[in-house]
Amino acid sequence: MGEIALPNGISNGSINGVNVNGQSHSLNGYRKSCWYEEEIEEDLRWCFALNSILHTGASQYQDIALLDTKPFGKALVIDGKLQSAETDEFIYHECLVHPALLHNPNPKNVFIMGGGEGSTARELLRHRTIDKVVMCDIDEEVVNFCKSYLVVNKEAFRDQRLEVVINDARAELEARNESYDVIIGDLADPIDGGPCYKLYTKSFYELIVKPRLKQGGIFVTQAGPAGIFSHTEVFSCIYNTLRKVFKYVVPYSAHIPSYADIWGWVMASDSPLDLNAEELDLRMRQRIKGENRYLDGKTFTSASTLSKTVRKSLDSETHVYTEESARFIYGHGKHA
């Protein structure tokens, strides 16, 4: 879905195998920059100017690109969908990691499904209580790619508390005997032909994830676009699916500029998830090394107070995510 537009305004088509240096050209009457364009919906595209294309490649599972963008710095693109951008990835990763870790009374070990970029592990390893983080990503090419090109996460990859496993997260969780304080779904979006949609299903949550959580354990997953119009793609049904498995379920969202939308996460547990802003701030001061750039107690309170439209939609959602009745965000994976 991602395309590069050359300076004369003519698209070269697929991003795969692009060999463009991204330098500006002076052509009267035409755009002077190389542009990246992503098709968000059939009638809606999002584009931004590039300084250069740093790297492109492909694995057996996904197509990969690293772009140096003018508005958002380095940006990781997988299967034509922007996954993470240098200037605002902290919003996504702080929201994904810290609410679940802070609601757990004493998190020691965490399992990450996906997370090959390393940013989720980076945020987890800021917590003083953490003894071990297992990061399980199916795609070794993505992990090696991010190790090589994303300098911000080099320390996380070198941390002795991090164990990197290349495997399907379902198979890895099934094979392991240990239980975890927190399990995190930092997976690619569920797209048709992508490698991850089966890890958003009721059977997976019920039969694989929940049995691997310790008493009082918490599961949290990224849950796709959560805007006024986009939340019905997958956010609402992921929320409803988790309500069928866990006693307490908290949806929350935040605006991420490089995604051109509000983004959603869902946190779930059989223990209450009810810390107030002051309690969250206290635990942040006690547990987290350094200061968050985005998330504090008041921010999480705001993030978990959804708009009237989205609240009503989530309350009335009846769809349960299964392999047979999967929902996808707009786009397609390598094997669609």
Side-chain angles (χ1 to χ4, degrees):
M1 302 304 291
E3 295 185 348
I4 302 295
L6 301 177
N8 63 1
I10 301 173
S11 171
N12 79 331
S14 173
I15 195 171
N16 307 328
V18 174
N19 184 17
V20 181
N21 63 16
Q23 294 181 355
S24 297
H25 296 266
S26 180
L27 296 173
N28 292 332
Y30 294 94
R31 292 185 297 192
K32 296 182 180 181
S33 297
C34 181
W35 289 73
Y36 169 74
E37 183 177 85
E38 181 173 318
E39 191 171 337
I40 297 173
E41 299 174 10
E42 186 175 356
D43 299 319
L44 179 62
R45 294 188 175 193
W46 166 240
C47 62
F48 41 83
L50 302 181
N51 292 312
S52 63
I53 300 165
L54 298 174
H55 188 78
T56 61
S59 72
Q60 69 181 98
Y61 301 104
Q62 299 164 120
D63 297 318
I64 314 162
L66 186 67
L67 311 177
D68 182 8
T69 77
K70 291 189 176 182
F72 303 117
K74 292 179 183 176
L76 177 67
V77 177
I78 295 180
D79 278 341
K81 293 289 185 181
L82 190 146
Q83 302 296 308
S84 179
E86 190 175 27
T87 60
D88 63 6
E89 58 87 4
F90 67 93
I91 303 173
Y92 172 95
H93 291 104
E94 288 184 13
C95 286
L96 175 66
V97 168
H98 299 307
L101 268 287
L102 294 167
H103 277 86
N104 190 285
N106 189 29
K108 296 287 189 181
N109 65 335
V110 179
F111 188 96
I112 308 169
M113 304 187 302
E117 174 189 346
S119 298
T120 296
R122 180 197 71 214
E123 292 300 315
L124 285 168
L125 293 166
R126 293 175 56 209
H127 283 255
R128 295 183 175 91
T129 62
I130 290 295
D131 291 331
K132 183 178 180 180
V133 173
V134 179
M135 186 186 87
C136 180
D137 199 290
I138 197 172
D139 200 332
E140 188 170 15
E141 291 290 332
V142 168
V143 175
N144 290 337
F145 182 93
C146 293
K147 279 184 178 180
S148 299
Y149 290 96
L150 299 182
V151 178
V152 68
N153 295 330
K154 283 194 179 295
E155 285 189 20
F157 279 114
R158 288 195 292 257
D159 196 301
Q160 295 300 306
R161 294 172 293 169
L162 177 65
E163 177 187 356
V164 178
V165 177
I166 305 301
N167 197 2
D168 174 77
R170 183 187 190 110
E172 188 66 25
L173 280 171
E174 283 182 309
R176 286 177 172 255
N177 294 321
E178 65 261 46
S179 297
Y180 300 92
D181 296 303
V182 177
I183 296 176
I184 295 178
D186 186 17
L187 301 162
D189 298 319
I191 59 175
D192 190 14
C196 296
Y197 78 92
K198 294 179 181 180
L199 304 187
Y200 291 92
T201 61
K202 179 177 182 287
S203 63
F204 176 64
Y205 295 149
E206 192 169 46
L207 303 177
I208 308 299
V209 171
K210 191 172 181 178
R212 286 292 177 267
L213 286 171
K214 293 179 182 178
Q215 182 72 29
I218 298 172
F219 172 66
V220 62
T221 183
Q222 81 89 12
I228 288 290
F229 303 116
S230 59
H231 73 276
T232 56
E233 287 185 307
V234 294
F235 180 59
S236 60
C237 70
I238 291 171
Y239 165 72
N240 186 57
T241 302
L242 284 166
R243 283 200 300 177
K244 306 298 182 184
V245 178
F246 291 93
K247 186 174 181 180
Y248 301 96
V249 182
V250 177
Y252 57 103
S253 63
H255 176 244
I256 301 180
S258 63
Y259 288 0
D261 206 347
I262 306 293
W263 212 254
W265 302 265
V266 183
M267 182 169 57
S269 180
D270 282 340
S271 296
L273 301 168
D274 56 4
L275 294 180
N276 62 35
E278 291 74 21
E279 291 168 324
L280 287 168
D281 284 336
L282 176 60
R283 289 191 178 186
M284 286 184 201
R285 291 193 297 271
Q286 292 172 337
R287 297 185 187 181
I288 299 177
K289 298 174 185 176
E291 188 172 346
N292 288 342
R293 296 172 63 187
Y294 179 80
L295 192 78
D296 63 5
K298 287 183 178 179
T299 303
F300 180 73
T301 299
S302 174
S304 56
T305 305
L306 304 176
S307 70
K308 178 182 178 181
T309 299
V310 177
R311 289 199 314 272
K312 289 180 67 176
S313 183
L314 265 61
D315 287 344
S316 62
E317 179 64 76
T318 59
H319 189 89
V320 175
Y321 206 109
T322 68
E323 290 188 25
E324 296 74 29
S325 62
R327 285 186 181 176
F328 304 108
I329 69 166
Y330 186 81
H332 60 78
K334 190 171 184 178
H335 301 292

